[in-house]
Structures are given as C-alpha cells and as structure tokens.
Amino acid sequence: MSMTYSIDDTIVALATAQGLSAIAVIRLSGRDCIAVTQKVFRGKQLEAQPTHTLHFGILHDGERAIDEVLVSLFKEPNSFTKENAVEISCHGSPVIVKEIIKALLKNGARLAEPGEFTKRAFLNGRFDLAQAEAVADLINAETDNARQAALNQMRGGFSKEIQHLREELIHFASLIELELDFGEEDVEFAQRDDLRQLIVKIKGYLQALIQSFDQGNVIKNGVPTVIAGKPNAGKSTLLNTLLNEEKAIVSEIAGTTRDVIEDEMELGGVVFRFIDTAGLRETTDTIEALGVERTRDRMKKAALILYLFDLGVTTPEEIKAEEEHLISLGIPYLKVGNKLDKIDAVRTRQLENDGFILISASQKKGIEELKAKILALFNVNAVKQGDVLVTNLRHYQNLIQTNQSLQRVLDGMDQNVTGDFLAMDIRQSLHYLGEITGQITTDDLLDNIFSKFCIGK
Amino acid sequence: MSMTYSIDDTIVALATAQGLSAIAVIRLSGRDCIAVTQKVFRGKQLEAQPTHTLHFGILHDGERAIDEVLVSLFKEPNSFTKENAVEISCHGSPVIVKEIIKALLKNGARLAEPGEFTKRAFLNGRFDLAQAEAVADLINAETDNARQAALNQMRGGFSKEIQHLREELIHFASLIELELDFGEEDVEFAQRDDLRQLIVKIKGYLQALIQSFDQGNVIKNGVPTVIAGKPNAGKSTLLNTLLNEEKAIVSEIAGTTRDVIEDEMELGGVVFRFIDTAGLRETTDTIEALGVERTRDRMKKAALILYLFDLGVTTPEEIKAEEEHLISLGIPYLKVGNKLDKIDAVRTRQLENDGFILISASQKKGIEELKAKILALFNVNAVKQGDVLVTNLRHYQNLIQTNQSLQRVLDGMDQNVTGDFLAMDIRQSLHYLGEITGQITTDDLLDNIFSKFCIGK
C-alpha cells in the first residue's frame, strides 16, 4: 500500500457497518469535500453553512434522486481529520450506499484506504501516533476493560507518560551534548553521579510501563487457553459447560452476541479464548497424528493450559509423566481432574493436596472453583479512568529497546567511556521513544499501522 | 406486540448495522430525549443549542467515561419523528454501543420496538402509511429499480394517486348522501348517467394501478425461478454458469456482496432467485422421493421455470410428455436443451422451431440467448423518478377490494337499487382506500406493518 497524502484528495468511505439497517453513514474528508458533496446534493448551499450543522436534502446522481439524506458539515480545523469533512446519513441499504458512493466517485472523490481518516488526523496533528492506534483498539475492544484502556490511551494518558520520559531524556542528552561541544577542553558539565541517578530514575518509569504490559496485553488481547488431555478426558464437554454458562451474560442486550466468536468467554473483565484440541495420544493414524501435532503446537503458544485427566482411568504414574511434560513447556497450567464421581474420598483428598482442581464437566460440578483458579492466574483489576497501561506490542517492544539503550549508557558510565559514546545511546533511546508517539516515523511504519484499521476510520 | 404510544417515552436503539466499524449511531426520540442524553453527556448544555447542530463531548455512565461522541440535535417538530430527537455517533464497537445504551436506559430511556421511530413519524403526521411502508422498502431494496420505486412511494407519488382517487369518490359519495337526506322526497340530485361515467373513470385509474403490481412486484420481490429437469440434465452446472457470470457485476464496490444471497442474479434491474432442485424422476428411494416432491412443490410456487432437457439422452416422446406436465402447471416456463454438442444440425433446427433454447451449460454456450429470453418474459422498464408503481401486496389487495366495491355500485345502478345501497358500497370502497394511506387504521394493522421494520428505524 502506498498512501501519498494530498489535501487535494477528497476521500470517501462507508463509516458504519455493512448490512441492512435504519441508517448508514458515508464519510468524506479533504479540502474540497464540501464542494464535491454539493455536486450531488440538492438542498441548501453547504459552503455557506456554519460548521457542525445538519442539512436535509436529496442525494442525486445526475438527474436521478438516490435518497433523502442528512448531511453533517464539519469545517476545518473543526473535524476529526482537521480538514473539511462531511458525513452523509442515508437509509441503511447496501444498494443506496453503493449508489451514493458511486455518485461521489464520479464527482471527484476517491475511495479511502483503510485507516486513512485517522492517518490524516495524525498527520494534521489532531493526536500523536499512540493515540491514533488507540482509536483502532477502541473499536476492537471486546470487554469493557479493553474499552477503558483504549479510551485512556486515546485521550492521551499514555502519550503524556512517554512525553514526560522524553523530556527527562532530552534534559539528560542536552547536558551530554554540551559536554561534547567543549570536548577538546575535557570539561564535564554533567556530573556523572547526577547523570547516573537521572538514568536510574528514568529506567524506573520505563520498568513500570514495561511491566504493565503483562496486564495490558491480557486486557487487550485476551488469554489463549488450550484445553488439552488424553482422548475422552472430557475436553469438549468442559468447553461447552464453560461457554454455555457464560453465554447468557454476553447477550444482556439483544444483538450483541452476533459479533462474539463462538469459543470465547469473558471472566472478570478478561476474554478467555478457549481452544479445544485433539486428544493427546501416540497414534499410527496419519490424520490423527496431525491433530495431535497441532495440539502440541497450540499448547506451546497458549498463555494457559487447562490439562484434563480422566480420574476414572488415569494411573498415578500416567499423571506424573504427563505433568512432567507440562512443566517442560514452561506455560502456566492447571491440572483438572474430571469425572470426580469415579474416585473415593481418600483419593480426592490426595489429589486436592497435589494441586488438582476436581470437577465433573458433565454434571457441572466444580466449575465455579475452576473459574476462580483461572481468574487468580490472570488477576486483572478493573481499568479506571486515567490508568496508564501498555497494551500495544509495538509500544512494548520500543519501551524495551529504550530501556536497553539506557542500560548501555549506564554500562558505558561504569566503563568511563567518553561523552560521545554516551550521547549515541541516549539518541538511540530517544529514537525508540519517539517512534511510539510518532515524532519519528517512516512511511513503512505508518502504512503498517493504518492498513490494519477498518475502512472508513 | 403492544405499542401504546406515549410522547413521554424516550425510545432508544442502535440505528446502524451491528458489527465492528468506524462509527455507530444510537438514536433517541421523545419529548425528554435531550434531557435524558444530557444526563450522560459531558459537553455543552444541549437544551440551549439550536436544532440541527452537532456537539462533541464525552458519554458517561456515572463517573465512568465510555467514549468520545458527537451528538446531533433535532428539536421538535424538525426531526424524522417530529419529536425531539438525538443521534449519538460513537466509535463502532459493540461493547461501546452496549455500554452507551445501558447508560441511557438507566437514565430514563427505554428500548425502541422495531419500526417505532417510523411509527411515531406516521402518528405525528410526517407522512401517511404508504409512505411509512416505503421507508422499509427503501432499506430492503435489492436493486436500483426497487430503490427508485420505494423512493418514489416514500416521497408521496403513490399517496397522491390514492388521494386523487379518494377525492373523486368523496365527490361521488357526497352526491349520493345528499340524495339520501332528501330520501322521502324521492329526489335524484345525482344524475345516474353522470355517476356511472364518474365510477367508470375511477375504475380506470384503479385498473392502471392494479396492473402496475405485476411489474411492481417483480421489481420489489424479484422472480423466484426454479431450474428443473431430469437427473443429470445439467441443472447445477447451469446455475453455476448463470451465477458466476454475474457475480463480478454485483461486487463492483468492495463489500457489497456480503449481503447478497448466494443464489441470486440481477438481470436488467430484476433480481432472479434461482432455486436448484432435485432431478425429477420416479424413484423408490424415500429420501430422493421427498426431494422430488419438494421440487414439484417449488415448481408450483415459481414465477418462472427453466426446464432443462439433456439433449444427448432425451427422446422426442419424453420431451412431449414432460412439456405436457409443464403446461398443466400454468406457470411461465422456458424449454432449455442442454448439451447442444450432442445433436446434429437437423435436430438443432427442429428443436429451435419447437421453441427450445439450446445451450451448453458446461461450455457456456447459448447463455446470453437464454438470459435474453428470461428478460423478455419479465420485461421491466427502468423505474424513473415520479413513476407510480404498486409494489406492496397489502396495497394491491386493498385496490382490488376497492375495485370490487365500485363494481357493486355499477351493478346496483344497473339494477336500479336505491341510493342507500349505493352509498354503502361507496363507503366500503372509501374504507379500503383509506386503509392504504392510513386515514383508517387499527392497532392490529399498524402493529402488523411496523413490527416487520428493523430496530432503530
């Protein structure tokens, strides 16, 4: 994708979801978008109207009336993109949307690329890059916690932290650079101990942000949870039991369920994506072997494994062997003993002491206890207004790189390297920080970020 | 559904389609809806703002910020419903939509019933019932012709015709009623010949409207087309050939295809709904027999049958027998000879003379000719602005009943019945006409009409 930005381009896209509905909204942006709209609009003279006003009229393609519409007018810089912008609210029919967009294309607009409205908002200085990314996160938020984290980021909470870090670093850098200017004279403007303290303080901030990613990632992306175990351990029954119990809550308001992926469950503000897997056993059947291979693969990528044992048939030796394999994966897991009615009280106590959660998936026993254990592993506090959490992998990686650069500065000081070496690493750390908020960008970086947006945003 | 209408109710619904998108619009209507919105909105004082203006702010649930939104303000009577109305444009996330609607429900709004906004617009006199029904037709229009027909109806073209008919009938009725008032004196104010001429003229208008339903129905609802024939005649191949060729046109603009049902094709502004059927043959297999039974059932309900013969194996006697059965159904059909490469030039000429369309479904030969023949049967002129077409079965039935009442008036005159009998039938015809535009309604009728609307409209 190459998106050369020109204010002369009038971009247009459907901004609402596809499908039959009461209304649909088509969005335009660009210096000439009001004039383009006027060409197909019969009603008032739009150019003469003030910003933030609504106007009824008929949308035309030549002499042919397409629909009765309401036009919302936004005059630069008072729009999302800071350009002139128009929103056309029409009847929610795909045929009408198509005809209106066709008419606008004929009259000088072009189809917007994914994320192009938000990209323009960023390029025109409405917000920084981290805030722009939060717009997409807000739309994709699957839980109220994820929504709140994205809203906080969009409203600039995270950006303010980064800005604060940048200022501290720039202050530090200026001291070092000053020293360089006087390099020949061997002056040390910056007291090394003061510098060291400053860096340690900045690294402290960084660490806190980096650590917040554990929680932020869980909130934004959910927890891929693999249900594994031998064939017939009761994996699918457990999945159904877990999902059915939560389905009612998801559909508190009619119609929301449609967009929820089948095998997800929200628990304590976190989305758990359950992955049911092929039973694990040695097999000579090729197809089944492939399934088992995929299970092992999935388990390695999971953030949590619910490992099911059929208590009726599994021997203590087998349990021991399977648990050793689980430990070798290095992924958080819960040992779940299914079919608890098949064992006696003594064995029950033994297993509980060994850290087993005992359930009966088919009789729905022990399910609440299992959920409590799952939640305890991914304990997420409700995100509040103003909380700053790193939720974006790109930001996380850049924060780690910033931190590494700063570590090199500290190491350099320990080894008494000269100011110009220190300055190089300081500049590097500023570069990584600047990429987060977009003070430093490349076309590739922007394309990569905005191409993942939906069309119309 | 019981929808007791109260202006005190603030109704709320998502007005745009479900799903992830750049923006979603939540709609409110009712005297207090601006005050209800204010309770969850942090921004300007909305009540103090003029109608048709847009206001940026933060939507709150108590102290918790949900999203940055734009509020559109419409003050009565300058809104779709003629009541105070608000549209909240938020980020297109199902989580956000759900949270905002929940916050509004907490603060005095209630969920709108399907079609309740349009019902209020009707009850508040924005338009008549036929126009209200056209709103739903507009949203559901699958072709540009259907859209144009619905738009014409929504803008009052059809209503004007009905109003015109009503006025003529009321004029007629007044003459008769006057006569009744002087009944004892045996006066005839209305010259019977003049009356007869007036009725004949009115029936002429009615007939034209009734006849337009043939075309209007095809435009609005499409043509259910059954592809039938013996097993292995090539029915599924033909279906695929027809559909694949048209698919490219349907998806002229990315994303529109999603809402199109798989087995439809637009040809000359008409949607043909192709139904592929089980091959017709005598069978002892129970399941297959059920399939054949369903095929025969479908054929009876079709508006067009494409009957396929495998030219390689079908004898002239078989053709004769099958065609006799086709004729007995009384439904328009086309005889299609498939696998045309299997016959020689003489037989080709013979079959063409017998009205066969010869094709090769697999080699895509003769498909254009077939399409031309199909179109010739359902020749629909492009609907133009101002064209009046009856597209609604309810209207069609009422027009027929009106016509029957008027016929009874004519018959009564022939039999020299007295004015009071004539007046009864005239009143009846006025009743049927009045139901079309909603001058005469019942709760049941309204519920029946509006419950078929989508939520938010």
Side-chain angles (χ1 to χ4, degrees), chain A residues 17 142 250 255-262 264, chain B residues 14 17-20 92-95:
Chain A
E142 287 185 58
V250 173
T256 48
T257 322
R258 250 186 275 174
D259 304 293
V260 176
I261 300 165
E262 272 297 281
E264 285 186 355
Chain B
L14 176 64
Q18 287 280 348
L20 297 186
S93 137
V95 171

Side-chain angles (χ1 to χ4, degrees), chain A residues 64-290:
Chain A
R64 208 166 50 102
I66 301 175
D67 193 12
E68 297 186 350
V69 301
L70 264 178
V71 167
S72 303
L73 220 57
F74 305 90
K75 297 206 168 170
E76 55 136 36
N78 299 309
S79 76
F80 176 68
T81 54
K82 293 194 135 195
E83 304 168 348
N84 283 332
V86 165
E87 287 179 8
I88 299 170
S89 176
C90 61
H91 286 92
S93 136
V95 171
I96 288 172
V97 166
K98 180 175 148 183
E99 291 296 320
I100 291 179
I101 290 181
K102 271 164 70 179
L104 289 164
L105 295 180
K106 269 193 230 169
N107 283 281
R110 70 161 171 81
L111 285 177
E113 313 254 356
E116 195 170 2
F117 291 90
T118 311
K119 187 182 184 187
R120 287 186 174 202
F122 162 67
L123 291 174
N124 292 327
R126 153 139 327 278
F127 38 49
D128 70 27
L129 197 54
Q131 288 174 293
E133 288 172 290
V135 173
D137 293 347
L138 194 56
I139 289 169
N140 292 311
E142 287 185 58
T143 63
D144 202 49
N145 269 329
R147 178 200 59 72
Q148 187 68 57
L151 184 66
N152 291 349
Q153 186 178 323
M154 191 181 80
R155 303 200 67 200
F158 175 65
S159 299
K160 217 179 283 170
E161 294 280 327
I162 300 295
Q163 200 51 41
H164 175 69
L165 279 172
R166 245 180 98 82
E167 278 159 20
E168 296 267 23
L169 273 176
I170 286 170
H171 170 62
F172 183 90
S174 65
L175 293 175
I176 295 280
E177 303 272 353
L178 196 62
E179 198 180 292
L180 290 181
D181 287 344
F182 293 83
E184 296 301 306
E185 299 161 44
D186 203 18
V187 184
E188 280 196 6
F189 283 84
Q191 290 293 323
R192 290 292 141 123
D193 277 354
D194 291 353
L195 286 183
R196 187 184 304 271
Q197 274 190 352
L198 188 56
I199 296 263
V200 169
K201 193 178 92 181
I202 295 173
K203 284 180 99 265
Y205 287 135
L206 271 173
Q207 293 289 3
L209 283 176
I210 288 169
Q211 275 163 24
S212 77
F213 183 68
D214 274 354
Q215 188 168 8
N217 184 44
V218 159
I219 285 173
K220 181 180 166 192
N221 297 317
V223 179
T225 306
V226 159
I227 302 182
K230 288 262 160 74
N232 285 323
K235 297 181 293 299
S236 299
T237 311
L238 175 59
L239 182 65
N240 288 336
T241 302
L242 284 168
L243 292 176
N244 288 337
E245 293 208 345
E246 298 303 323
K247 276 281 158 73
I249 295 171
V250 173
S251 58
E252 203 172 344
I253 287 190
T256 48
T257 322
R258 250 186 275 174
D259 304 293
V260 176
I261 300 165
E262 272 297 281
D263 299 347
E264 285 186 355
M265 162 178 107
E266 187 183 330
L267 213 58
V270 173
V271 170
F272 289 84
R273 299 176 202 281
F274 285 107
I275 302 138
D276 192 10
T277 59
L280 290 168
R281 65 170 175 183
E282 301 303 324
T283 174
T284 49
D285 179 292
T286 328
I287 307 278
E288 191 184 346
L290 274 174

